[in-house]
Amino acid sequence: MRNWLAIIITLLLLSGCAKMGQPDGGWYDDTPPHVLATSPEDKSTGVDAKKIYIYFDEFIKLDNPTEKVVISPPQLEAPDIKGAGNRITVTINDSLVPNTTYTVDFSDAISDNNEGNPMGNYTYSFSTGEHIDTLEVSGCVVEAENMEPIKGILVGLYNNLEDSAFTTQPMLRVARTDSRGRFVIKGVAEGNYRIYALQDADGNYFFSQKSEKLAFSNDIITPTFKPDVRQDTLWSDTLHIAKIEQVGYTHFFPDDIVLRAFTEVQNDRFLVKTERKDADCFTMFFSYGHPQLPDITGLNFDATDAFLMEASEHLDTLTYWLRDTLLVNQDSLQMTVGFMATDSTGVLAPKLDTLNVLSKNPYARRMKDLQKEQEKWEKEQEKAKKKGRPYLTEMPPTPLETKLQIPGDMAPNGYISFEFPTPLMTTDTTKIHLLTKIDTVEVEKGFVLQELPSYLPEDVPHAVRKLILVPDSTDNLWTAGGQYSLVLDSAAFVDIYGKASKDDRKSIKIKKEEDFTSITFHVAKTDESPYVAHLLDRSNKVVKVAYSSTGDVVFNYVKPGEYYLCVIADTNNNGIWDTGNYAEDQQAEMVYYYPDKIECRAMWPLEKSWNPQSTINILKPSEITKQKPDKEKKIRNRNAERARKLGIDYIPKNH
């Protein structure tokens, strides 16, 4: 009987275990590790030990300590920092400086082993003397060009207030920014300081290479503090707040420093490479542009009038199109090239190089490919002939490819663009027809065909490969709601090698006025600089650009949607953002972001006023900020999602 009873109970238990149902689950641990003890004790004085032990209340992970953990004063000989189990060991390899406060800033390198909850900006400190410095300064570092937070950049203080200190001496106190771009420099003594940020490429803790990103401030920083009060949340359990208390603490100042980092123009000029991917052109890539173009002398060809040129905006990429097909078929172009380059003393001087530019698609290979195409075409024509279908006796010439771009949602101020793979020799506008419908009849309408601006001097023969077409009217507007057709006759475009474009016909439909709205911003002037305003979509892509010398920024024909506004103070009035220069005490041009989302509805014009100075510390709307915090919200988001499914409120613990 006992055996049968045991069997029945076992079967019932197994049945209960196998029964399907809603798993209960549990809350993810959102509590970061806590320090239990340190040796030597945190904030000790008179310390001469070079090995530090930090113990935690749970097993921890130490993420990338060589990059995230930084010690002040800066250590020229890298310390050994290891994490194992519930302990971190720090071994200082440099000699300890007498009467000095040391800080070990872990930034967000410490997290628990199970859920990865970050501890936050933990810093351990001690002093080799009888006094320990406890002042702090804090703030954030952002990219000057787009106000994105910069993660992992070094931030340091100097008590030497001379500008030359940043280029000759290591920083005095340092910290690194976290994933939000935030930094806290601790263990600071009373006094006056200058502050800098640096992406330290060579590990010497000062600005020694033009390629290093940097930020500087002309303000003198005097750290101070005052007693203050903040709210502290006490929890009855994981989900419920017991009470909120007012807790006193020491508030350190300044705590709102904003450093705008930039990389200086790299004006050390040299020829990076020369490339001839296609037989009909070759490209020279320079590290930096120069208005004096290279002087080319052919060694196995005549370079006189041999090229049409294309250039990038900064003249650092130069493409040479070969006008003569005999040169196109020549696999090797030997030449001497004279250009301005930086010499060993850092000064621009004439330099002469001898180059052998080889085609990556040799003539023999092209002829072989052409023969294959010919044979394939002949087989197709022979097959058509045998089946009694129309056929050709001669292979037609390869047409000029025409890349025609007509927006599907064309606004009345839009345009049509043409792009060609090779430079144009002729454009016959009599073979281009812009037709508009009046009732049911198509009527030809005038148009303007414009070349895109070239960055080359006017006397340099330049390649034309891009054109835009707009209606011929005083304001270059299409008729709202109108329907057009673009008709291209054969050979409307002919390139320098004799290839002609095919005939084509495209329909164009212009959206109505009621499909759009307009945005007007009255932006208060911060100085005499004109503004370049960018209207951005939700993916941070520039959709419209406006220029203003008065501060009134207008965007017409804006499609309904959500947008953001970015304004550049264009101090040199060149229409683009420009970087800074430390030696010349020149900051990068200021960039401001309107703090709120701009919601647009059709036929609802918006008009807003904005003073950028009132929002100067509101860096960039979080919705379009690409640099997000690494791990701070990971567990909280998972718990919030679980709470939502259970239909309850979730308020996370204060990290």
Side-chain angles (χ1 to χ4, degrees):
M1 181 65 76
R2 290 195 191 95
N3 291 338
W4 278 109
L5 185 59
I7 291 171
I8 292 171
I9 293 173
T10 302
L11 290 173
L12 288 172
L13 288 173
L14 289 173
S15 175
C17 291
K19 185 178 179 181
M20 298 298 292
Q22 178 67 33
D24 180 51
W27 299 103
Y28 295 102
D29 175 21
D30 63 358
T31 305
H34 289 90
V35 175
L36 291 180
T38 61
S39 177
E41 187 177 349
D42 192 13
K43 296 183 174 57
S44 295
T45 57
V47 174
D48 58 5
K50 298 176 69 174
K51 184 163 284 192
I52 301 161
Y53 300 96
I54 305 172
Y55 300 90
F56 297 87
D57 61 349
E58 59 180 313
F59 281 7
I60 56 94
K61 290 187 293 189
L62 188 61
D63 180 33
N64 201 4
T66 56
E67 292 187 9
K68 289 191 174 184
V69 182
V70 62
I71 297 180
S72 289
Q75 305 292 291
L76 297 181
E77 185 175 354
D80 296 324
I81 306 170
K82 298 178 180 179
N86 67 337
R87 186 181 75 179
I88 291 176
T89 305
V90 180
T91 304
I92 297 175
N93 294 318
D94 273 358
S95 299
L96 294 176
V97 181
N99 300 313
T100 300
T101 296
Y102 279 76
T103 57
V104 184
D105 180 6
F106 288 90
S107 184
D108 58 355
I110 303 172
S111 59
D112 66 31
N113 190 58
N114 292 327
E115 297 292 354
N117 295 300
M119 186 176 179
N121 293 319
Y122 172 64
T123 301
Y124 168 88
S125 60
F126 67 89
S127 174
T128 56
E130 297 180 356
H131 169 77
I132 188 166
D133 300 316
T134 58
L135 294 177
E136 302 176 6
V137 297
S138 59
C140 66
V141 184
V142 295
E143 293 278 3
E145 184 175 7
N146 55 27
M147 305 306 278
E148 282 283 333
I150 301 178
K151 173 185 173 183
I153 194 169
L154 201 66
V155 186
L157 297 176
Y158 284 90
N159 57 6
N160 182 342
L161 305 183
E162 297 294 327
D163 292 340
S164 59
F166 184 44
T167 60
T168 57
Q169 302 173 16
M171 296 170 171
L172 182 67
R173 312 293 307 176
V174 293
R176 286 196 189 277
T177 56
D178 61 16
S179 57
R180 301 167 297 167
R182 295 285 304 174
F183 68 88
V184 181
I185 304 177
K186 299 184 179 182
V188 182
E190 293 182 355
N192 296 324
Y193 297 91
R194 293 278 298 274
I195 189 167
Y196 301 86
L198 178 68
Q199 275 188 345
D200 190 19
D202 50 13
N204 60 5
Y205 292 92
F206 62 87
F207 179 48
S208 57
Q209 299 183 28
K210 288 180 68 67
S211 60
E212 293 176 324
K213 192 186 296 290
L214 76 144
F216 68 97
S217 172
N218 296 113
D219 296 335
I220 304 299
I221 292 173
T222 304
T224 185
F225 68 95
K226 73 171 186 178
D228 211 335
V229 176
R230 66 183 174 207
Q231 291 185 339
D232 196 11
T233 304
L234 300 179
W235 298 81
S236 57
D237 54 41
T238 306
L239 296 175
H240 301 94
I241 297 174
K243 60 179 178 178
I244 299 176
E245 292 184 344
Q246 301 290 322
V247 178
Y249 76 105
T250 302
H251 194 160
F252 294 99
F253 296 97
D255 62 351
D256 58 354
I257 299 169
V258 177
L259 295 173
R260 301 184 310 114
F262 59 88
T263 303
E264 294 184 351
V265 171
Q266 306 302 296
N267 52 10
D268 291 340
R269 191 168 195 257
F270 55 90
L271 179 60
V272 178
K273 65 177 180 178
T274 303
E275 194 171 61
R276 190 180 174 191
K277 286 185 176 180
D278 297 310
D280 48 14
C281 66
F282 63 90
T283 303
M284 293 184 185
F285 298 89
F286 290 88
S287 60
Y288 188 68
H290 193 276
Q292 182 176 328
L293 299 176
D295 183 22
I296 297 178
T297 301
L299 298 179
N300 63 347
F301 69 100
D302 184 3
T304 306
D305 296 328
F307 312 118
L308 292 176
M309 286 188 65
E310 272 186 283
S312 63
E313 180 179 357
H314 300 291
L315 298 179
D316 54 0
T317 304
L318 306 174
T319 298
Y320 295 81
W321 291 91
L322 305 175
R323 286 174 157 176
D324 192 341
T325 53
L326 292 177
L327 287 184
V328 174
N329 294 334
Q330 188 169 317
D331 292 339
S332 171
L333 297 176
Q334 298 170 12
M335 64 190 78
T336 60
V337 181
F339 57 94
M340 299 299 291
T342 306
D343 62 17
S344 57
T345 64
V347 177
L348 277 174
K351 182 178 180 180
L352 190 66
D353 271 359
T354 300
L355 304 176
N356 185 16
V357 183
L358 299 175
S359 174
K360 291 188 175 181
N361 190 13
Y363 176 74
R365 183 192 301 169
R366 298 199 309 276
M367 291 301 100
K368 187 175 180 180
D369 291 342
L370 187 61
Q371 181 64 30
K372 287 181 179 178
E373 289 181 13
Q374 176 75 28
E375 292 173 355
K376 180 181 178 181
W377 180 86
E378 289 176 353
K379 288 180 180 178
E380 290 175 350
Q381 300 308 308
E382 185 64 27
K383 187 176 180 180
K385 182 179 179 180
K386 288 180 178 179
K387 293 188 175 182
R389 295 201 301 260
Y391 64 94
L392 299 175
T393 58
E394 186 176 347
M395 185 174 178
T398 303
L400 174 65
E401 181 185 344
T402 303
K403 186 177 180 181
L404 186 60
Q405 291 187 338
I406 303 176
D409 53 354
M410 176 89 83
N413 64 344
Y415 59 86
I416 298 170
S417 67
F418 299 84
E419 185 173 351
F420 305 91
T422 46
L424 294 179
M425 181 176 64
T426 60
T427 299
D428 189 347
T429 55
T430 64
K431 296 183 178 182
I432 303 172
H433 312 279
L434 182 63
L435 308 175
T436 183
K437 275 191 176 181
I438 298 178
D439 295 328
T440 58
V441 180
E442 286 190 327
V443 179
E444 194 147 349
K445 183 177 177 61
F447 61 87
V448 177
L449 201 59
Q450 301 172 345
E451 297 179 16
L452 292 184
S454 169
Y455 301 108
L456 294 164
E458 290 185 3
D459 60 341
V460 175
H462 64 278
V464 177
R465 293 196 307 115
K466 296 180 181 179
L467 302 169
I468 61 172
L469 183 147
V470 293
D472 185 11
S473 59
T474 55
D475 52 5
N476 281 341
L477 292 180
W478 305 84
T479 301
Q483 293 186 359
Y484 299 80
S485 293
L486 179 65
V487 179
L488 303 177
D489 297 337
S490 297
F493 305 100
V494 180
D495 76 356
I496 59 175
Y497 307 119
K499 286 185 179 180
S501 60
K502 298 188 301 183
D503 62 325
D504 199 2
R505 182 185 181 101
K506 298 289 184 183
S507 297
I508 307 165
K509 186 173 182 179
I510 311 301
K511 293 183 77 69
K512 299 177 181 179
E513 293 277 356
E514 52 263 35
D515 294 326
F516 301 95
T517 188
S518 64
I519 303 174
T520 301
F521 262 90
H522 305 290
V523 185
K525 294 299 293 294
T526 59
D527 52 35
E528 296 303 314
S529 304
Y531 283 146
V532 180
H534 292 167
L535 191 66
L536 311 170
D537 63 15
R538 289 184 295 179
S539 62
N540 205 29
K541 179 183 176 182
V542 178
V543 294
K544 286 185 177 292
V545 180
Y547 304 90
S548 172
S549 58
T550 63
D552 291 338
V553 176
V554 180
F555 300 103
N556 290 317
Y557 296 106
V558 179
K559 292 186 290 186
E562 297 177 354
Y563 298 96
Y564 301 86
L565 178 67
C566 169
V567 170
I568 301 169
D570 188 18
T571 55
N572 61 357
N573 197 22
N574 65 351
I576 59 174
W577 176 86
D578 289 286
T579 189
N581 185 287
Y582 181 70
E584 298 176 6
D585 194 28
Q586 176 184 320
Q587 294 281 2
E589 288 182 334
M590 288 295 297
V591 175
Y592 306 96
Y593 280 84
Y594 184 66
D596 301 322
K597 179 169 58 180
I598 304 166
E599 297 188 12
C600 294
R601 290 185 290 172
M603 295 297 292
W604 284 80
L606 289 178
E607 187 170 359
K608 293 178 178 288
S609 297
W610 173 42
N611 181 1
Q613 292 293 337
S614 66
T615 56
I616 193 166
N617 285 334
I618 302 175
L619 304 178
K620 188 175 185 179
S622 59
E623 295 88 348
I624 57 172
T625 299
K626 294 181 180 178
Q627 173 57 48
K628 303 293 186 183
D630 281 345
K631 300 181 292 185
E632 285 84 345
K633 296 181 180 180
K634 174 183 174 183
I635 302 303
R636 282 175 283 171
N637 288 343
R638 290 163 72 183
N639 279 340
E641 177 62 18
R642 177 167 176 76
R644 184 187 67 79
K645 290 179 179 179
L646 294 174
I648 59 177
D649 293 329
Y650 171 72
I651 305 175
K653 295 182 180 179
N654 189 351
H655 283 208

